[in-house]
Amino acid sequence: MLSTLFKPFLVALISASLMLMVGCSVPRTKPASVTDRSGGSSEPTPPGYYRVKKGDTLARIALDNGQAPRDVVQWNKAANPNFNPNVIEVGDLILIKAPAGSKPARVADKKPVADKSDSPATSPEPAKVEAVAEPGIRLSWPAKGKVIAEFSETNKGIDIAGKVGEPVLAASDGKVVYAGNSLRGYGNLVIVKHDNTYLTAYAHNSKLLVKEGDTVRKGQRIAEMGDTDANAIKLHFELRVNGKPVNPTPYLQ
């Protein structure tokens, strides 16, 4: 009787021992590693480059970095012949600074100031090429009308009211580096580069009167006021200094 009761217990004990031995013989493995792909960390962006973010366009990247879109395209095509400005993806690196050895385009020629001193003439020193313009550019008003929106972090310029077809004028001498409507929120847009530091933008025009590459003079008619991509007829006017928007009002005369 005792052996009959003990036999099942003995079988269970032997089975548990065998399972324990088998379990100990199987080597343990490390937990599966989990890679965080949420975008919390990103590779550092090399100097002179911009890493594309969601919603970017090449024209917007150029404007925000104080460059002409055409120049940005040329620099990137020189570095990568397969570069397509119409197909850029999040995470791509875009060259936004002129490569070493490239010659900056001359925007506006300035006449040298005559030396009226009585000192004897000496051999002129070689002219120094300035990387940036002198501070304190003076701009003329790009349109006649009431300012209906002041500069702010969200507006990035000033808005001037008017009527459809009223003239939009270049605020200073320069070169047209963009004329089109590919920047969302700006409508028909003209961007004029004045030198390596300053550029101005004229948005929401009904008609553009200049094209990329044109040289314009201060006060020249470059567009006609309108309401493209806007809720009212107005000129949105921006001043960018090294690509950064600043309040243009103190610069206007």
Side-chain angles (χ1 to χ4, degrees), residues 163-176:
K163 298 178 181 178
V164 173
E166 288 187 342
V168 173
L169 312 175
S172 187
D173 297 350
K175 182 179 180 180
V176 178

Side-chain angles (χ1 to χ4, degrees), residues 112-131:
V113 178
D115 184 6
K116 298 182 180 180
S117 64
D118 296 328
S119 57
T122 58
S123 299
E125 295 181 0
K128 295 181 180 179
V129 179
E130 297 292 340

